[in-house]
């Protein structure tokens, strides 16, 4: 029957029927196969891009918070060749073997040789989606879904937080960031478009990353030991403030004050304002952290059991708790008594041509206001360290 079912234009390349591949069982430790890109238009026609020409420059991003963010790829194809399935708005999938590792929608196609394709991931679509209503996060997300956003909402996004009203802001990702991050939660979208809220993982790291990047930035700077929280009180309806203090850090490092202004569109009890301040303080108290991304290659990320992790499987790397082990490349990357600490992995970008992964710990490179309110902002921050 062959790779394309009943032929090139039957139930195969353009048809959408089942694909049957006759092959012997794969060796247990065989390296992962190549990545392929498949597009499907609104009429259900689909095509593998590599069937029309060599693909190159494939890179794709998975964020935490978020999910599949963006991707790009080029196809070496003559200008006169038409791919009916490749149109703006077509579904786009990145596949290894039988597994779909990333999904999105084609955002733009640039003619030429090679033909360049830009893709918005299912989470990245939120940056183009304007919030339609006010109300709870559930109300806002549901309104976008009813308007055609390719998401589902399996459960409430705001559990445990009594104040859920948020104003219309520019885009859906801003609403989610502003509404969830002060509660100690982050939003995620999976490969099927299901949007959820979750807390950062804690406990025993599930990944070990051996870092030898000589340019990796590690810092103990830009910390605070107490924060002044400005908010609108639920009972009085008037502006109020309260302090949240890391007593142990202040005893050691001195009094370093930060300030946060919770949304003036939302009222807070003192308990809620304290919780938001404590969340912020937990993330910006004196700590060893990273201010940027670093790059790893095959073999540098393993599970706790020592199995090598496929770097292209970024949906199972982003959002995970990882232990970073730093080794000096000047010492042949020996891992003797090296520095190590744990981080939650944020954004991951896979470069297929070079088989490398760029990794950013969550909150790395963000301002304190962005740490509290989400990467797009949503509140104001005043600090001598800003």
């Amino acid at each position: 029957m062959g790779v394309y079912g009943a032929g090139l234009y039957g139930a195969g390349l353009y048809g959408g029927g089942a694909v049957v591949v006759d092959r012997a069982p794969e060796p247990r430790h065989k390296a992962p196969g190549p990545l392929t890109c498949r597009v499907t238009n609104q009429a259900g026609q689909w095509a593998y891009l590599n069937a029309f020409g060599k693909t190159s420059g494939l890179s794709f991003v998975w964020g935490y918070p978020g999910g599949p963010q963006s991707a790009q790829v080029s196809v070496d194809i003559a200008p006169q060749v038409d791919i009916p399935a490749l149109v703006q708005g077509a579904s786009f999938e990145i596949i290894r073997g039988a597994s779909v590792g990333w999904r999105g929608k084609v955002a733009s196609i640039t003619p030429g040789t090679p033909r360049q394709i830009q893709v918005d991931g299912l989470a990245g679509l939120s940056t183009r989606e304007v919030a339609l209503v006010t109300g709870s996060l559930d109300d806002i997300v549901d309104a976008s879904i009813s308007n055609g956003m390719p998401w589902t909402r399996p459960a409430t996004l705001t559990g445990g937080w009594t104040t859920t009203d948020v104003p219309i802001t520019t885009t859906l990702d801003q609403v989610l960031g502003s509404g969830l991050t002060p509660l100690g939660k982050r939003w995620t979208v999976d490969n099927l478009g299901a949007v959820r809220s979750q807390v950062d993982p804690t406990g025993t790291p599930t990944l070990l990353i051996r870092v030898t990047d000589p340019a990796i930035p590690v810092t103990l700077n830009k910390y605070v030991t107490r924060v002044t929280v400005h908010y609108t009180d639920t009972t009085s309806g008037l502006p109020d403030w309260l302090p949240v203090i890391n007593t142990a850090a202040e005893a050691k490092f001195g009094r370093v004050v930060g300030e946060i202004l919770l949304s003036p569109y939302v009222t807070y009890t003192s308990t809620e304002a304290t919780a938001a301040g404590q969340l912020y303080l937990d993330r910006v108290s004196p700590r060893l952290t990273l201010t940027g991304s670093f790059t790893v290659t095959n073999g540098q990320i393993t599970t706790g059991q020592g199995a090598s992790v496929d770097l292209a499987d970024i949906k199972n790397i982003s959002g995970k708790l990882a232990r970073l082990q730093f080794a000096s490349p000047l010492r042949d990357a020996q891992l003797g008594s090296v520095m190590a600490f744990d981080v939650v992995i944020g954004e991951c970008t896979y470069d297929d041509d070079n088989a490398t992964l760029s990794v950013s710990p969550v909150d790395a490179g963000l301002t304190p206001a962005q740490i509290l309110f989400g990467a797009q902002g949503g509140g104001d921050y005043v600090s001598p360290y800003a």
Side-chain angles (χ1 to χ4, degrees):
M1 192 171 184
V3 173
Y4 296 113
L8 193 61
Y9 296 98
L13 191 60
Y14 290 116
V19 175
V20 177
V21 180
D22 298 322
R23 62 186 178 189
E26 294 183 353
R28 181 179 178 185
H29 299 294
K30 183 178 179 180
L35 295 172
T36 58
C37 301
R38 181 170 65 191
V39 290
T40 307
N41 65 17
Q42 295 292 338
Q45 293 176 305
W46 55 270
Y48 287 97
L49 297 182
N50 63 316
F52 292 87
K54 179 183 178 182
T55 58
S56 62
L58 173 62
S59 66
F60 48 102
V61 182
W62 194 288
Y64 177 75
Q69 295 287 353
S70 62
Q72 60 182 8
V73 67
S74 297
V75 186
D76 191 2
I77 186 174
Q80 66 271 20
V81 174
D82 181 38
I83 306 177
L86 180 58
V87 294
Q88 188 171 354
S91 296
F92 183 96
E93 298 169 311
I94 300 174
I95 303 171
R96 192 193 297 279
S99 175
V100 177
W102 193 96
R103 281 189 170 99
K105 299 284 187 179
V106 174
S108 66
I109 305 166
T110 303
T113 303
R115 198 168 301 181
Q116 299 176 351
I117 304 164
Q118 300 287 331
V119 187
D120 288 331
L122 289 181
L125 292 171
S126 63
T127 65
R128 302 177 184 268
E129 184 77 11
V130 176
L132 301 174
V133 299
T134 59
S136 71
L137 294 181
D138 290 350
D139 294 336
I140 295 171
V141 169
D142 289 350
S144 293
I145 292 173
S146 68
N147 195 41
M149 187 72 169
W151 285 5
T152 60
R153 185 180 57 80
T156 185
L157 295 170
T158 54
W161 191 258
T162 57
T163 301
T164 57
D165 288 343
V166 296
I168 292 180
T169 55
T170 306
T171 56
L172 195 56
D173 64 318
Q174 290 179 321
V175 171
L176 289 166
S178 297
L180 288 174
T181 312
L183 320 183
K185 298 183 179 182
R186 303 184 196 269
W187 64 280
T188 64
V189 175
D190 65 18
N191 256 339
L192 298 178
V195 59
R196 297 179 173 87
S197 59
Q198 68 178 63
V199 297
D200 289 347
T202 58
T204 303
T206 56
L207 298 175
L208 173 64
I209 305 179
R210 295 174 172 87
V211 183
T212 58
D213 188 339
I216 186 169
V218 182
T219 182
L220 191 62
N221 298 325
K222 295 190 175 181
Y223 61 82
V224 300
T225 58
R226 71 167 61 201
V227 58
T228 304
V229 183
H230 300 271
Y231 66 101
T232 301
D233 184 75
T234 298
T235 302
S236 68
L238 299 175
D240 205 345
W241 67 275
L242 55 80
V244 181
I245 306 169
N246 184 333
T247 305
E250 194 160 281
K252 183 173 183 178
F253 295 96
R255 180 178 179 273
V256 184
V257 182
E259 297 185 51
I260 57 173
L261 170 63
L262 299 181
S263 173
Y265 300 96
V266 182
T267 61
Y268 298 83
T269 65
S270 60
T271 300
E272 292 168 343
T274 299
Q278 187 61 56
L279 171 74
Y280 166 81
L281 197 58
D282 289 343
R283 295 182 179 178
V284 297
S285 289
R287 75 246 180 255
L288 193 62
T289 187
L290 305 177
T291 58
S293 63
F294 55 92
T295 301
V296 295
T297 58
N298 284 321
Q300 287 184 248
I301 303 183
T302 61
T303 66
Q305 293 73 39
S308 183
V309 173
D310 178 9
L311 298 185
D313 189 19
I314 54 178
K315 68 180 183 298
N316 288 318
I317 300 175
S318 179
K320 298 298 187 291
L321 182 63
R323 175 154 297 168
L324 305 186
Q325 274 192 326
F326 296 89
S328 170
L330 302 179
R331 297 176 56 196
D332 299 321
Q334 294 178 358
L335 290 172
S337 55
V338 295
M339 177 177 63
F341 62 92
D342 300 343
V343 298
V344 176
I345 301 301
E347 185 174 280
C348 294
T349 303
Y350 183 72
D351 179 345
D352 189 44
D353 286 356
N354 297 302
T356 58
L357 183 69
S358 175
V359 179
S360 295
V362 72
D363 297 336
L366 300 182
T367 67
Q370 291 170 335
I371 288 174
L372 182 61
F373 293 102
Q376 302 298 327
D380 297 322
Y381 173 80
V382 179
S383 167
Y385 293 93

